């Protein structure tokens, strides 16, 4: 989503899109085509990425789009229902937010569907080659090792360092209030580390003091480096807490009691939820290399 926002921010950059008059497909391979709108989409990506040659970058993205179709044909695989559903869901989300922008540059909802279907094809190819039942499967232990490198798991009690004044404005706590809050949170972390209370017990007590009723235990949260929900140093700060231990971290307008959790071994569900992302991080570069190599063997017609 951050990348999409960056694309939207690039909308005002002046560049010429392909004329949207009579449809003339810019790239074709056999019966497969690249529409003007799809090319326009990839050109907007190129500008967002600050490419030195946006036209050529967009063309290369289009060639890879056709190469993914060809590679799936060569491997005799078709897009599975789960990947089709993912493409459809992502299209609805993107179009719901950015339809006005994309329409203004000649990109239709069908073009967004084509782009998202391409991304799904790459995921299908990723699983075909490197998934658990693939041609060259990545070992489960290697996936789990990358998982714990990419993510940290934790439970957290969050306290606000702001309040709402009589005018309905959000204002910082006073210096005295901040010190009292930090002292309270340090005390909770100490109790967890000494084993005199659990983080869930302390969460109930803390929220009770705020007049909030807690009805369920704290969930294990996952974050990775540069997660936009937290300050840049948050991932490193959580990583510096030993597994099973607690610490206090400030991030933005909040202070947290963090209890570091062991993931992958203790939370198999979390690992499975992120398994595709981990595999993508480890092997998608190889899929993209296969596509680039295939382009040179394809008879792609370009009408520029």
């Amino acid at each position: 989503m951050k990348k999409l926002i960056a694309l939207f921010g690039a909308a005002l950059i002046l560049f010429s899109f392909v004329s949207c008059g009579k449809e003339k497909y810019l790239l074709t391979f056999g019966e497969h085509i690249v529409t003007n709108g799809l090319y326009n989409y990839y050109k907007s990506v190129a500008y967002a990425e600050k490419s030195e040659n946006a036209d050529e970058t967009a063309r290369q993205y289009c060639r890879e789009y056709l190469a993914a179709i060809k590679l799936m044909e060569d491997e005799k695989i078709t897009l599975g229902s789960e990947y089709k559903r993912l493409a459809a869901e992502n299209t609805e989300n993107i179009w719901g937010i950015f339809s006005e922008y994309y329409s203004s540059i000649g990109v239709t909802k069908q073009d967004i569907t084509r782009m998202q279907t391409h991304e799904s094809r790459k995921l299908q190819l990723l699983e075909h080659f490197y998934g658990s039942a693939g041609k060259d499967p990545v070992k489960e232990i290697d996936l789990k090792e990358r998982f714990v490198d990419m993510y940290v798991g934790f439970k957290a009690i969050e306290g606000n360092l702001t309040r709402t004044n009589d005018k309905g404005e959000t204002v910082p706590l006073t210096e005295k209030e901040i010190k009292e809050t930090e002292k309270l949170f340090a005390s909770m972390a100490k109790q967890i580390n000494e084993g005199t209370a659990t983080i869930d017990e302390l969460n109930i007590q803390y929220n009770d003091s705020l007049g909030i009723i807690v009805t369920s235990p704290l969930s294990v949260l996952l974050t990775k480096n540069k997660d936009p929900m937290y300050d840049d140093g948050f991932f490193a700060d959580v990583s510096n807490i030993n597994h099973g231990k607690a610490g206090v971290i400030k991030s933005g307008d909040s202070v947290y009691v963090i209890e570091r959790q062991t993931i992958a071994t203790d939370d198999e569900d979390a690992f499975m939820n992120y398994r595709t992302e981990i595999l993508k991080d480890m092997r998608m570069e190889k899929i993209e290399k296969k596509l680039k190599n295939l382009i040179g063997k394809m008879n792609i017609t370009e009408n520029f």
Side-chain angles (χ1 to χ4, degrees):
M1 188 58 68
K2 287 176 66 182
K3 186 173 183 179
L4 291 173
I5 293 172
L7 292 179
F8 187 78
L12 297 179
I13 299 176
L14 294 177
F15 63 95
S16 61
F17 285 102
V18 176
S19 172
C20 295
K22 185 178 180 181
E23 187 80 358
K24 181 180 72 172
Y25 298 129
L26 300 182
L27 293 93
T28 60
F29 175 73
E31 63 182 8
H32 306 297
I33 55 94
V34 171
T35 63
N36 291 349
L38 186 59
Y39 172 79
N40 288 352
Y41 169 81
Y42 284 128
K43 193 169 180 180
S44 73
V45 172
Y47 271 95
E49 294 175 343
K50 303 187 186 306
S51 171
E52 293 182 1
N53 188 335
D55 286 303
E56 179 53 32
T57 299
R59 293 180 192 186
Q60 184 62 16
Y61 278 130
C62 293
R63 295 175 191 124
E64 291 175 11
Y65 171 88
L66 294 172
I69 296 173
K70 177 67 164 60
L71 185 54
M72 289 190 67
E73 289 178 347
D74 290 348
E75 293 296 319
K76 295 179 173 55
I77 57 175
T78 56
L79 200 61
S81 59
E82 68 273 28
Y83 295 108
K84 291 179 181 178
R85 184 168 57 252
L86 177 64
E89 290 174 354
N90 288 343
T91 296
E92 290 299 325
N93 291 336
I94 293 168
W95 194 252
I97 300 172
F98 300 109
S99 59
E100 184 175 352
Y101 162 59
Y102 284 126
S103 295
S104 74
I105 63 171
V107 178
T108 67
K109 187 176 182 180
Q110 289 74 21
D111 294 317
I112 297 299
T113 299
R114 292 181 179 101
M115 177 272 292
Q116 281 299 319
T117 300
H118 172 62
E119 295 302 317
S120 285
R121 287 191 191 104
K122 288 166 64 177
L123 292 176
Q124 178 96 62
L125 288 165
L126 181 72
E127 193 65 30
H128 173 72
F129 283 103
Y130 304 113
S132 57
K135 289 187 170 183
D136 184 18
V138 178
K139 294 179 181 178
E140 203 77 354
I141 185 64
D142 293 335
L143 288 169
K144 288 188 175 183
E145 286 179 357
R146 179 60 66 90
F147 180 45
V148 298
D149 287 339
M150 288 176 61
Y151 286 91
V152 290
F154 60 96
K155 289 186 175 183
I157 302 173
E158 181 179 2
N160 290 322
L161 298 178
T162 60
R163 60 181 176 83
T164 303
N165 64 16
D166 295 338
K167 298 179 180 179
E169 302 167 330
T170 300
V171 296
L173 298 181
T174 65
E175 185 175 339
K176 180 180 179 182
E177 289 172 329
I178 291 174
K179 287 182 178 180
E180 289 175 349
T181 301
E182 290 175 343
K183 183 178 179 181
L184 171 61
F185 275 57
S187 172
M188 288 193 285
K190 183 179 179 181
Q191 291 178 67
I192 294 167
N193 290 331
E194 291 178 347
T196 57
T198 68
I199 191 169
D200 287 298
E201 291 170 344
L202 293 170
N203 184 53
I204 292 171
Q205 294 175 21
Y206 176 68
N207 280 281
D208 185 59
S209 71
L210 301 176
I212 300 171
I213 299 174
V214 175
T215 59
S216 60
L218 289 167
S219 300
V220 175
L221 305 175
L222 297 180
T223 187
K224 60 182 178 179
N225 199 21
K226 299 190 182 302
D227 187 328
M229 288 187 63
Y230 305 100
D231 286 351
D232 287 345
F234 187 83
F235 176 84
D237 290 339
V238 177
S239 298
N240 288 332
I241 300 173
N242 292 331
H243 290 90
K245 295 296 183 180
V248 177
I249 296 175
K250 290 176 66 176
S251 178
D253 293 327
S254 298
V255 59
Y256 301 88
V257 174
I258 299 290
E259 183 183 57
R260 177 86 180 273
Q261 303 292 306
T262 301
I263 57 177
T265 54
D266 289 356
D267 197 341
E268 191 70 19
D269 288 342
F271 167 70
M272 293 307 297
N273 288 338
Y274 286 83
R275 189 179 182 282
T276 298
E277 183 178 347
I278 301 159
L279 184 60
K280 184 177 177 181
D281 180 76
M282 295 180 70
R283 291 291 186 271
M284 184 56 79
E285 188 175 342
K286 288 183 177 261
I287 295 296
E288 291 172 347
K289 185 175 181 180
K290 287 179 183 292
L291 298 180
K292 287 180 173 65
N293 290 338
L294 185 57
I295 288 170
K297 303 174 185 178
M298 296 170 61
N299 185 23
I300 297 175
T301 301
E302 301 190 10
N303 300 306
F304 289 95

